[in-house]
């Protein structure tokens, strides 16, 4: 892609302005995008400003939270975690008045180009701004989320995911060693509101005992008991091989797929600016821990079960080299696409090439929102992960495995089958 090196306003000969903002939760590599985009834009003759706190101030019509970015200030930030511009979950498209104030504020700031770094919600807000400004403000988004839930070409990862997986897998490895040393089980809750990608990949990379992700379950809504029995069944199966320890990795997104009544504290949680339940307010690990403990006690099985959340410590981590490399290409590609006249797209990388994806392609026609990429449980990638897990499967309900498992659960073969077979049949592998 080639563009003119300088882009100047014809009337006053002042450089045009490119603004950068960050929306949603943090992810490793944000600063790499900021640095790469700012450096390339300045080299092409643009003035670059960073908008602090995402859309938070813009929706109020406040233009005072802006900082000019210079090459010397951003040239070494690409290997740091967090966001030098901070971030927020403010929804610019929550209503027409808010959207109008955002556009007015950008106009006052003289913004000709806007790069929005974020996930599905930030992309949706950018799509609405692009729709309203009709090219007057060139807008692109850069895909950021450790959840890995944006539908990118060639199933490419979102930036930040690889760092989160690497660090998360390291934490899980330590928990596995602790579990082995102290003869206990950890129920590890992983971030992933809509997709179980992070939970599954951390489990697979670390070799954890099992992962439980929402994509496994056939029905849109399911009861907490199915998850509890999946974990209890894994504990029993592992005990038949002489081991009383393990680590289960559970995607937090199962909370959104459950019947609200099956989560004791769900009613006390609040929704964010995009209408999502604050999963962090639901003590999923504690609820699961208590339910698993109760189920084991009922079966007369003595086991130590603890809950551990993994998530916030991943989001502002120092990016691994993959994400440093990746974000530099994304930031560069965002600027070059804008200066070539493009707008209204998400910047992706496919086959080593910058690949713009139009906002229209990303929208779900049924909801009007950005489509969410979930784990495809029909792929070999998932099947390999599942085959290495220790959890009940259909062959376990045939003899001689059935009687051996039932004996460890202090149940008859018939009672064991009646209790645990539904949790297996509820998953895609058990269909």
């Amino acid at each position: 892609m080639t563009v003119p090196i300088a882009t100047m306003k014809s009337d006053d000969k002042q450089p045009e302005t490119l603004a950068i903002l960050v929306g949603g939760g943090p992810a490793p590599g944000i600063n790499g995008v900021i640095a790469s985009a700012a450096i390339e834009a300045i080299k092409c003759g643009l003035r670059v400003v960073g908008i602090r706190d995402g859309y938070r101030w813009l929706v109020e019509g406040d233009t005072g939270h802006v900082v000019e970015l210079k090459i010397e200030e951003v040239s070494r930030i690409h290997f740091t975690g967090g966001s030098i511009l901070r971030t927020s979950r403010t929804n610019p498209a929550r209503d027409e008045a808010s959207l109008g104030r955002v556009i007015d504020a950008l106009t006052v700031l003289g913004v000709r180009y806007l790069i929005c770094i974020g996930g599905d919600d930030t992309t949706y807000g950018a799509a609405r701004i692009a729709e309203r400004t009709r090219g007057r403000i060139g807008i692109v988004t850069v895909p950021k989320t450790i959840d890995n839930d944006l539908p990118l070409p060639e199933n490419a990862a979102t930036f930040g995911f690889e760092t989160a997986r690497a660090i998360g897998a390291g934490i899980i490895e330590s928990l596995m060693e602790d579990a082995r040393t102290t003869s206990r089980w950890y129920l590890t809750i992983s971030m992933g509101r809509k997709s179980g990608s992070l939970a599954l990949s951390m489990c697979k990379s670390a070799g954890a005992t099992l992962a439980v992700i929402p994509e496994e379950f056939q029905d849109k809504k399911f009861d907490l008991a199915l998850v509890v029995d999946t974990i209890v069944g894994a504990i029993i199966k592992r005990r038949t091989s002489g081991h009383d320890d393990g680590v289960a990795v559970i995607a937090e997104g199962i909370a959104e797929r459950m019947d609200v009544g099956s989560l004791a504290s769900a009613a006390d949680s609040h929704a964010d600016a995009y209408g999502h339940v604050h999963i962090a307010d639901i003590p999923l690990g504690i609820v699961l821990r208590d339910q698993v403990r109760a189920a084991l006690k009922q079966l007369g099985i003595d086991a130590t079960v603890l809950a551990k959340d993994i998530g916030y410590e991943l989001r502002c981590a120092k990016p691994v080299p993959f994400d440093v490399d990746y974000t530099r290409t994304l930031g560069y590609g965002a600027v070059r696409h804008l200066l070539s006249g493009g707008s209204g797209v998400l910047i992706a990388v496919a086959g080593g090439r910058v690949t713009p994806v139009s906002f229209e392609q990303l929208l779900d026609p049924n909801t009007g929102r950005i489509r969410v990429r979930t784990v495809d449980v029909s792929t070999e990638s998932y099947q390999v992960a599942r085959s290495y897990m220790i959890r009940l499967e259909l062959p376990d309900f045939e003899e001689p495995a059935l009687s051996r498992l039932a004996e460890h659960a202090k149940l008859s073969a018939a009672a064991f089958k009646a209790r645990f077979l539904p949790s297996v049949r509820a998953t895609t592998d058990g269909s």
Side-chain angles (χ1 to χ4, degrees), residues 209-269:
T209 313
L210 76 155
V212 184
I213 61 175
E215 292 90 337
E216 297 174 0
F217 295 89
Q218 299 171 35
D219 298 327
K220 186 171 183 178
K221 293 289 183 181
F222 54 88
D223 192 86
L224 176 66
L226 292 177
V227 179
V228 171
D229 282 351
T230 297
I231 297 169
V232 172
I235 292 173
I236 293 169
K237 185 172 181 177
R238 184 147 167 80
R239 289 170 75 91
T240 64
S241 62
H243 299 283
D244 53 5
D245 62 89
V247 175
V249 186
I250 301 105
E252 66 177 0
I254 65 170
E256 284 198 352
R257 291 276 303 276
M258 289 180 189
D259 291 322
V260 175
S262 67
L263 285 171
S265 335
D268 296 328
S269 63

Side-chain angles (χ1 to χ4, degrees), residues 363-369 371:
L363 290 175
D364 184 328
N366 297 319
T367 65
R369 303 300 297 266
R371 288 183 290 112

Side-chain angles (χ1 to χ4, degrees), residues 24-273:
I30 290 173
N31 289 334
V33 178
I34 294 171
S36 177
I39 292 169
E40 182 59 22
I42 292 168
K43 286 167 61 179
C44 290
L46 297 175
R47 171 177 178 262
V48 180
V49 298
I51 299 174
R52 294 187 182 277
D53 306 312
Y55 295 108
R56 177 183 175 184
W57 304 108
L58 296 181
V59 297
E60 298 178 11
D62 186 338
T63 59
H65 297 265
V66 176
V67 59
E68 185 164 357
L69 301 178
K70 303 289 188 180
I71 289 179
E72 59 269 21
E73 296 165 351
V74 301
S75 63
R76 306 302 293 168
I77 65 172
H78 55 279
F79 48 71
T80 61
S83 165
I84 65 166
L85 298 177
R86 300 198 298 260
T87 184
S88 78
R89 294 190 182 277
T90 304
N91 183 357
R94 62 191 179 196
D95 52 56
E96 288 301 315
S98 295
L99 187 60
R101 285 192 296 271
V102 169
I103 294 171
D104 289 344
L106 292 171
T107 301
V108 169
L109 290 169
V111 174
R112 174 63 182 86
Y113 305 106
L114 177 64
I115 296 176
C116 302
I117 304 170
D120 56 338
D121 291 328
T122 301
T123 300
Y124 174 72
R128 292 298 313 280
I129 296 171
E131 178 187 332
R132 282 280 296 270
T133 58
R134 298 182 179 181
R136 179 167 56 85
I137 300 176
I139 301 174
V140 299
T141 63
V142 178
K144 163 204 65 69
T145 169
I146 65 172
D147 293 353
N148 199 33
D149 60 359
L150 284 172
L152 304 184
E154 298 185 3
N155 207 37
T158 53
F159 85 76
F161 171 73
E162 291 293 349
T163 298
R165 169 163 60 177
I167 295 174
I171 294 172
I172 290 172
E173 288 174 12
S174 294
L175 291 176
M176 290 167 62
E177 193 59 51
D178 188 273
R180 189 161 40 243
T181 300
T182 59
S183 300
R184 60 177 58 171
W185 272 80
Y186 283 103
L187 308 185
T188 305
I189 309 302
S190 162
M191 280 191 168
R193 187 175 67 214
K194 298 293 186 182
S195 169
S197 180
L198 182 59
L200 182 69
S201 62
M202 290 193 305
C203 171
K204 188 177 180 182
S205 298
T209 313
L210 76 155
V212 184
I213 61 175
E215 292 90 337
E216 297 174 0
F217 295 89
Q218 299 171 35
D219 298 327
K220 186 171 183 178
K221 293 289 183 181
F222 54 88
D223 192 86
L224 176 66
L226 292 177
V227 179
V228 171
D229 282 351
T230 297
I231 297 169
V232 172
I235 292 173
I236 293 169
K237 185 172 181 177
R238 184 147 167 80
R239 289 170 75 91
T240 64
S241 62
H243 299 283
D244 53 5
D245 62 89
V247 175
V249 186
I250 301 105
E252 66 177 0
I254 65 170
E256 284 198 352
R257 291 276 303 276
M258 289 180 189
D259 291 322
V260 175
S262 67
L263 285 171
S265 335
D268 296 328
S269 63
H270 303 285
D272 65 17

Side-chain angles (χ1 to χ4, degrees), residues 236-237 239-240 299-301 396 399-417 420:
I236 293 169
K237 185 172 181 177
R239 289 170 75 91
T240 64
L299 295 171
I301 297 175
D396 292 316
E399 296 295 355
L402 176 59
S403 292
R404 185 169 63 252
L405 288 163
E407 180 182 356
H408 277 268
K410 300 180 177 62
L411 295 172
S412 68
F416 184 89
K417 189 172 185 176
F420 292 102

